[in-house]
Amino acid sequence: VQLVESGGGLGQTGGSMKLSCTTSGFSFDDLDIAWFRQVPAKDREGVACISHMDGRRNYGDSVRGRFIMSSDKEKKMFYLQMNSLKPDDKGKYYCAAVKSRVACELGVDFGNEYYYWGQGTQVTVSS
């Protein structure tokens, strides 16, 4: 089982960036998927997630209305489109997944419910 993030780098305030997460080693069915981010010395923050039960998307308060999470079951990939970037969006972004469990339904910040994690991709936003 593997999750690999890509698409990070340096963005500009007000600009856009798209992160991708490629999954392998498991079926995409019954999968709750999510994006988290972390900045040194701060707690991990839930950014967005998609529930396998009803397709519901949850977003963190700081990104709601700016970020969009989507998935492509055929490609076994999911994405985070980040718009109107702010300097506070910087951090290491991780994709995460869990199979056949209630995770995203609990909310966006339940990182401990996710079993599979990528290595992360760094996002920096210039002011």
Side-chain angles (χ1 to χ4, degrees), residues 73-91:
K73 288 188 176 182
E74 294 296 320
K75 295 182 178 179
K76 294 187 178 181
M77 294 182 67
F78 54 104
Y79 310 94
L80 185 69
Q81 177 67 45
M82 305 187 293
N83 302 317
S84 302
L85 286 168
K86 301 178 180 180
D88 283 348
D89 291 325
K90 68 179 181 182

Side-chain angles (χ1 to χ4, degrees), residues 33-100:
I33 52 180
W35 288 97
F36 292 84
R37 67 186 181 191
Q38 189 153 25
V39 177
K42 289 190 176 181
D43 291 337
R44 180 179 60 200
E45 178 185 5
V47 176
C49 63
I50 298 178
S51 163
H52 75 275
M53 296 183 68
D54 56 7
R56 177 194 323 170
R57 287 163 171 76
N58 286 328
Y59 294 95
D61 290 342
S62 62
V63 307
R64 190 176 294 112
R66 299 188 297 121
F67 289 11
I68 301 170
M69 183 173 177
S70 61
S71 64
D72 186 328
K73 288 188 176 182
E74 294 296 320
K75 295 182 178 179
K76 294 187 178 181
M77 294 182 67
F78 54 104
Y79 310 94
L80 185 69
Q81 177 67 45
M82 305 187 293
N83 302 317
S84 302
L85 286 168
K86 301 178 180 180
D88 283 348
D89 291 325
K90 68 179 181 182
K92 197 160 189 180
Y93 283 70
Y94 298 87
C95 58
V98 65
K99 194 168 178 64
S100 302

